[in-house]
Amino acid sequence: KTSFIIENQALMNFGGLGDKCISNGLNFIGLNNCDLGPRAGPIAIGAILALKNIRELSIANNNMGPKLAEQIGQFLQGDQCTLKILNLAQNNLGETGGLTLARALERNISLTDLNLSNNELTPIVGMALADALCELIESGTTTR
């Protein structure tokens, strides 16, 4: 397992380190507690999602907001998505972000583990996530 992990640091403190470490062989990225926020977060996530063969992404506690869900949702719906494990805990996704992800999950067959804890999700989001899972099961879709 080839990994790139930065935790409890502001990403800007690492300069070009990410550019030197990231390659097509990378399959796990951990950027937990890096204070990415809603401004820097989309830039970092856009670069990460452009990589091939990412199997596990952990970007917990970065307070990126609902826009993060839009980016991740588009990626999850793509035919090239190889992501198996996704940790989006503590990113202030809210109801809007949660519903965006639920819609994306209806079309995703690679993801097997999703952490959405502490994102201010509502019961409506819970129902939408359950419906997405039921949709996959009822359609006979299985994970890759």
Side-chain angles (χ1 to χ4, degrees):
K1 177 172 166 176
T2 305
S3 303
F4 178 70
I5 302 170
I6 297 174
E7 292 190 343
N8 303 313
Q9 296 292 324
L11 194 57
M12 65 198 94
N13 293 343
F14 290 89
L17 179 64
D19 296 335
K20 294 174 188 165
C21 294
I22 295 175
S23 70
N24 284 340
L26 187 66
N27 54 33
F28 171 76
I29 296 178
L31 292 174
N32 299 322
N33 307 305
C34 289
D35 196 27
L36 293 176
R39 295 188 75 168
I43 297 166
I45 299 310
I48 290 168
L49 298 180
L51 298 171
K52 306 278 188 249
N53 302 320
I54 296 297
R55 301 274 189 273
E56 185 174 349
L57 176 59
S58 184
I59 50 176
N61 198 25
N62 280 293
N63 298 313
M64 287 190 258
K67 291 285 186 189
L68 170 65
E70 290 177 24
Q71 275 185 293
I72 297 289
Q74 289 174 354
F75 177 71
L76 290 175
Q77 293 179 64
D79 292 335
Q80 303 302 316
C81 180
T82 58
L83 205 57
K84 296 249 181 239
I85 301 169
L86 178 59
N87 182 1
L88 298 176
Q90 295 178 306
N91 272 296
N92 296 325
L93 299 178
E95 185 172 289
T96 302
L99 291 173
T100 299
L101 286 173
R103 284 189 296 276
L105 291 172
E106 291 175 355
R107 294 172 201 69
N108 178 276
I109 59 172
S110 66
L111 202 61
T112 59
D113 190 354
L114 175 63
N115 183 349
L116 294 175
S117 62
N118 299 313
N119 270 300
E120 301 172 13
L121 303 178
T122 64
I124 293 169
V125 173
M127 291 298 294
L129 290 167
D131 288 346
L133 180 58
C134 288
E135 179 76 25
L136 286 174
I137 292 169
E138 289 172 1
S139 68
T141 305
T142 58
T143 59
R144 288 183 213 153

